[in-house]
Amino acid sequence: MNLKEEILKLKEKLDVTVVAHFYQRDEVFELADITGDSLELAKRAMQTKSKYVLFCGVGFMGESVKVLSPQKRVLMPKVACCAMARMIDVQYFDENLAILNKVGINNDDILPITYINSSAAVKARVGEMGGMVCTSSNAYKIIEKGLKSGKKIFFVPDRCLGQNFAKSLNLTSAVVGDGTDLHKADIICYNGFCSVHQLFTVEDIEFYREKYPDILIAVHPECDPSICDAADFVGSTSQLITFIKELPVEQKVAVGTEYNMVNRLREKNTYILSSTKPECPTMNETTLEDVYATLKQIEQGSDEPYENEIKVDEKTVKYAKLALERMFDV
Ligand code: 13P
Ligand code: SF4
């Protein structure tokens, strides 16, 4: 029996749901019971009845499932950490708040919104301050809702997402430390970014447009605002998939997001919007061997937490859940 067959056999036998993000390697992605963008994965993994969730993705995704359903045992074949999520922790968050306070913007005047690509601890800090979580597929609605509070939005950690949605809502934005007057901004962004989505350039777009004048450009909102401004479509991973699959087969499209997802989208007329291979190193860490080894751990059964099991303390669960639930309410 080969490894894939062994995995399928174990999956059938165990009380486990295998979840995978679109950026996973093909061989891992194909084995999943649930696939989707960050929002869909958080919602659907929470709704499963199984005791174990085996999450193939990055750390903040597994943590979100644990926060939403603490009774589940969430294991990650590789506890790989999203590079953007690592750019902020509670200390950096508070240091940024202190900068805002120093120029006279007090905590009472601030509503924090965190992109789901952040640790449970950061989500908890946001939840404690009355704030919410958002994902790339609902950021527009969440920011709109946040603005109704009459407060300034402090958006963490992705400055690009914050700036892109500020533009689409006709709002002004600033990045902490970029020298812009923070008082004039409706949305103040933390200075974080995704290293993978920074790979796409305006020159890449010009290259494709020159080569194929009718080509469409579709990108993820983690790309720089200059890229999103020049694109024909901006959306989350799921929104990109829907947009591209609905195009006529002869329509050429260049896509600005992670390689694994773009590569399996359509056989013809789909291009990667980059001369380099935009692979997310941490998403790519999970292998079939890791999935197999984690299923074997589950098969052996233990009441003790496993090394690669997601653990979140009670206080963090309480406040991070608040921030996530406020998102679901919207
Ligand atoms: P989605 O929520 O669009 O799947 O994005 C997650 C992500 O990490 C993109 O880099
Ligand atoms: Fe994080 Fe970027 Fe990888 Fe998405 S592509 S998981 S934001 S490092």
Side-chain angles (χ1 to χ4, degrees):
M1 220 187 287
N2 65 28
L3 197 54
K4 192 173 168 188
E5 287 164 347
E6 296 266 11
I7 290 175
L8 289 172
K9 208 172 113 198
L10 278 170
K11 256 181 63 174
E12 210 166 291
K13 179 173 140 191
L14 301 170
D15 185 13
V16 63
T17 301
V18 178
V19 179
H21 186 264
F22 293 124
Y23 292 171
Q24 290 292 299
R25 295 159 180 255
D26 288 351
E27 62 271 28
V28 172
F29 186 79
E30 282 159 14
L31 288 168
D33 303 300
I34 297 177
T35 59
D37 66 13
S38 308
L39 181 63
E40 291 159 345
L41 295 182
K43 270 193 199 163
R44 291 181 57 205
M46 170 178 78
Q47 287 157 356
T48 61
K49 300 227 173 352
S50 51
K51 176 176 172 189
Y52 290 93
V53 171
L54 191 152
F55 205 116
C56 307
V58 281
F60 75 82
M61 298 180 170
E63 274 192 346
S64 296
V65 180
K66 187 70 185 173
V67 165
L68 290 165
S69 349
Q71 75 289 355
K72 284 195 193 302
R73 297 192 66 179
V74 184
L75 274 80
M76 299 192 72
K78 274 273 162 67
V79 191
C81 193
C82 159
M84 182 205 289
R86 283 186 75 152
M87 287 183 184
I88 189 166
D89 59 15
V90 175
Q91 192 186 328
Y92 283 156
F93 182 94
D94 286 343
E95 280 170 11
N96 270 245
L97 278 184
I99 295 174
L100 269 56
N101 296 164
K102 215 171 167 187
V103 295
I105 305 169
N106 300 319
N107 287 6
D108 291 344
D109 308 321
I110 298 167
L111 183 86
I113 296 182
T114 181
Y115 187 30
I116 197 163
N117 296 37
S118 56
S119 67
V122 168
K123 290 187 181 79
R125 185 79 182 95
V126 166
E128 225 177 342
M129 286 182 69
M132 298 176 271
V133 174
C134 78
T135 75
S136 53
S137 57
N138 64 17
Y140 194 94
K141 277 193 192 160
I142 300 286
I143 294 173
E144 253 191 339
K145 161 89 184 180
L147 288 167
K148 289 196 180 127
S149 66
K151 298 181 180 186
K152 269 191 197 300
I153 307 281
F154 177 42
F155 192 89
V156 305
D158 188 6
R159 63 161 189 249
C160 294
L161 216 103
Q163 289 170 313
N164 285 325
F165 281 98
K167 268 196 179 173
S168 61
L169 283 155
N170 278 326
L171 300 169
T172 50
S173 63
V175 178
V176 180
D178 75 350
T180 321
D181 184 354
L182 299 178
H183 286 277
K184 290 197 179 133
D186 303 302
I187 301 186
I188 299 172
C189 306
Y190 181 85
N191 196 5
F193 58 88
C194 164
S195 45
V196 181
H197 287 86
Q198 296 305 299
L199 291 175
F200 307 108
T201 63
V202 174
E203 288 73 36
D204 293 327
I205 298 183
E206 285 166 357
F207 167 83
Y208 275 109
R209 289 224 162 110
E210 213 166 282
K211 199 163 174 196
Y212 307 116
D214 294 330
I215 199 165
L216 293 176
I217 309 292
V219 303
H220 194 278
E222 286 172 15
C223 292
D224 189 82
S226 59
I227 307 297
C228 294
D229 287 350
D232 300 291
F233 181 84
V234 182
S236 73
T237 49
S238 275
Q239 291 163 346
L240 284 169
I241 292 172
T242 308
F243 173 75
I244 292 159
K245 288 204 167 152
E246 284 175 359
L247 294 174
V249 224
E250 63 283 4
Q251 174 65 56
K252 292 189 188 332
V253 59
V255 192
T257 196
E258 211 270 345
Y259 175 82
N260 284 329
M261 182 184 117
V262 183
N263 195 36
R264 72 172 87 89
L265 264 180
R266 266 199 324 177
E267 270 178 32
K268 280 169 72 180
N269 292 327
T270 307
Y271 302 84
I272 301 274
L273 183 65
S274 178
S275 46
T276 49
K277 198 175 175 190
E279 271 180 318
C280 173
T282 43
M283 283 280 189
N284 269 274
E285 275 185 33
T286 306
T287 63
L288 270 191
E289 285 75 15
D290 298 324
V291 174
Y292 176 72
T294 313
L295 286 168
K296 281 305 254 186
Q297 277 181 309
I298 297 175
E299 185 187 35
Q300 275 147 22
S302 167
D303 291 336
E304 294 301 314
Y306 297 105
E307 206 181 297
N308 51 345
E309 183 166 353
I310 300 294
K311 289 158 243 148
V312 186
D313 67 76
E314 250 177 68
K315 186 175 174 219
T316 306
V317 166
K318 179 178 162 192
Y319 288 109
K321 200 171 182 188
L322 257 182
L324 280 159
E325 283 173 351
R326 288 189 189 119
M327 167 178 82
F328 289 128
D329 289 346
V330 177

